[in-house]
Amino acid sequence: MTPSIRILIADDHAQVRQDLRMVFQLTDGYEVVGEAADGQAAVQQVLKLQPDLVLMDLEMPGVSGLEAIRAIKANCLTRVIVLTVHAYPAAREAAERAGCDAFLVKGIDLSIILKTIAQVLSAK
């Protein structure tokens, strides 16, 4: 049995978290180990749960996704894929400067998300 990829979903919209959780529950090889509705909770959950990967929204209340990415990257080896509605170049550049491992725009096909996860985790 292949070990599951352990994922934390960080998004301030409960429906987005629920939809992503459902997708991963229905896809072999993935386990959602936690969820966070803001950047501070995301950092705390990552430090506690040590997931393989975080799907991180950029715009969240309190601690932003960018701040959370910087904190995660400073404290552990967890990979971070940004999943945001902000498709403009400045958002991508800011996320890359913060240390994200990949940048995706919400609404893309699930197969692209899964392919990106595999690419990011194989680059360890």
Side-chain angles (χ1 to χ4, degrees):
M1 183 171 174
T2 306
S4 295
I5 296 170
R6 302 175 72 247
I7 297 175
L8 184 126
I9 301 167
D11 196 293
D12 59 326
H13 291 97
Q15 188 65 52
V16 171
R17 294 192 311 273
Q18 180 181 345
D19 291 349
L20 286 169
R21 177 180 282 278
M22 186 181 311
V23 164
F24 290 116
Q25 286 175 338
L26 297 172
T27 307
D28 288 339
Y30 297 90
E31 176 187 6
V32 176
V33 295
E35 295 180 17
D38 62 61
Q40 181 176 351
V43 173
Q44 291 170 344
Q45 291 289 316
V46 167
L47 295 175
K48 177 182 174 186
L49 301 170
Q50 297 292 308
D52 300 310
L53 179 91
V54 178
L55 287 176
M56 178 76 69
D57 189 15
L58 289 182
E59 194 171 313
M60 293 188 286
V63 174
S64 73
L66 293 174
E67 293 171 289
I69 293 167
R70 286 190 281 273
I72 290 166
K73 291 302 193 168
N75 290 293
C76 60
L77 299 175
T78 297
R79 302 295 185 146
V80 179
I81 296 176
V82 168
L83 186 59
T84 183
V85 297
H86 300 293
Y88 50 91
R92 178 184 296 273
E93 292 165 8
E96 289 171 352
R97 282 193 308 275
C100 79
D101 296 286
F103 186 95
L104 300 173
V105 177
K106 288 179 180 176
I108 63 167
D109 190 83
L110 173 62
S111 66
I112 296 172
I113 295 173
L114 298 177
K115 181 179 177 181
T116 302
I117 290 171
Q119 289 172 337
V120 163
L121 293 176
S122 70
K124 281 187 176 181

